[in-house]
Amino acid sequence: MNKLISLIQKTEFNHSLTKSEIIELFKNNECNGDLFKAADRVRKKYVGDEVHLRGLIEFSNICKRNCMYCGLRRDNKNIKRYRILPNEIIKLAQKAVGYGYKTIVMQSGEDDYYTVDKLKYIISNIKKMDVAVTLSIGEKTFEEYKAFKEVGADRYLIRIETTDPALYAKMDPGMSYENRKRCLRDLKVLGYEVGTGCLIGLPDQSFESLANDILFFKDIDADMIGVGPFIPNEDTPLKNERGGDFLTSLKVMAITRLLMPNINIPATTAMETLNPRGRTIALESGANVVMPNVTEGVYRKLYALYPGKICTGDTPAHCKNCITGKIITIGRVISASKGFRVKA
Ligand code: 5AD
Ligand code: SF4
Ligand code: FES
């Protein structure tokens, strides 16, 4: 136990861990409090008390992929599909800007309806609003990523999901781990701020595998890392699996903060789905970003990645007030900037 405490202390200052040291931290729970407090101190020292809010627009739940864990997978016939049209997406962004959000995140399934031209139209119009634009729309070619960058896209989120090639092949049938890594490389080369992350608690995922995920994040020097528990969805082949737990997810996040002190780390929606104070706890264990939903009306419920997703019955205005209250209550401040990664 003393060994673990000195390991955490060392990491707080040198931001480096070996694979076996990460596994040790996972295996033991006696020092979790010290781990979370150290991650909180590193967060404060490097990225400060500001919390960056990113307004999330879930603009289409149509997806050509078939990820085993995801409710939007193409074989799921139990959900009603929707697409928000380009001009309506721009209007939602305008409203989000009105709520004070300085970043708009455009997220969807992999839906080819949104051609490069349509996406360029949407991105360039949102960029006129003096905000950062983050895309989270899946695997594209280098040329497509380049076209979005040229009209002003700033950031791109694409989780690696797992760095275990065999598990990846099982979880994401028809997709290639190598292509996923190619996407991350292309995005870096093009000058995007790149966000990735993993799911925690996938079937047969080991601590070693999670340690590899964390070392991968550091190895590619990701600018943002979003992690969350896998939550089994009734409408998927993984409906009878156990899913991830809150504590392990929090530990992955905290260890990532120790190793990558100046990156942006969101307190994710899935964390709050497993624990009613999940995002607050995450913000006090290394996180410095929240992504409140700005999707409106019926669409929110239909963006059903996993069951129990928070905020599905709430309005953008309600979420803005709700999350602002939570942040202020713990003595943190809402950032007024676009919230790019701070320089080391
Ligand atoms: N539980 C938790 N997260 C999920 N995602 C997809 N399905 C689930 C699930 N059942 C996550 C994936 C994806 C992100 C948009 O949502 O990690 O990258
Ligand atoms: Fe599609 Fe993304 Fe869901 Fe996979 S995780 S099925 S790519 S929306
Ligand atoms: Fe949506 Fe709290 S952030 S209800």
Side-chain angles (χ1 to χ4, degrees), residues 272-292:
E272 189 122 328
T273 298
L274 288 195
N275 182 319
R277 293 189 65 246
R279 286 176 303 178
T280 304
I281 297 168
L283 285 171
E284 295 189 303
S285 312
N288 70 322
V289 170
V290 180
M291 297 166 62

Side-chain angles (χ1 to χ4, degrees), residues 272 279 290 292-293 300 310-312 314-315 318-320 322-323 326:
E272 189 122 328
R279 286 176 303 178
V290 180
N293 201 318
R300 269 193 194 209
I310 56 161
C311 306
T312 53
D314 300 299
T315 61
H318 180 87
C319 289
K320 169 76 206 291
C322 167
I323 200 63
K326 286 180 202 277

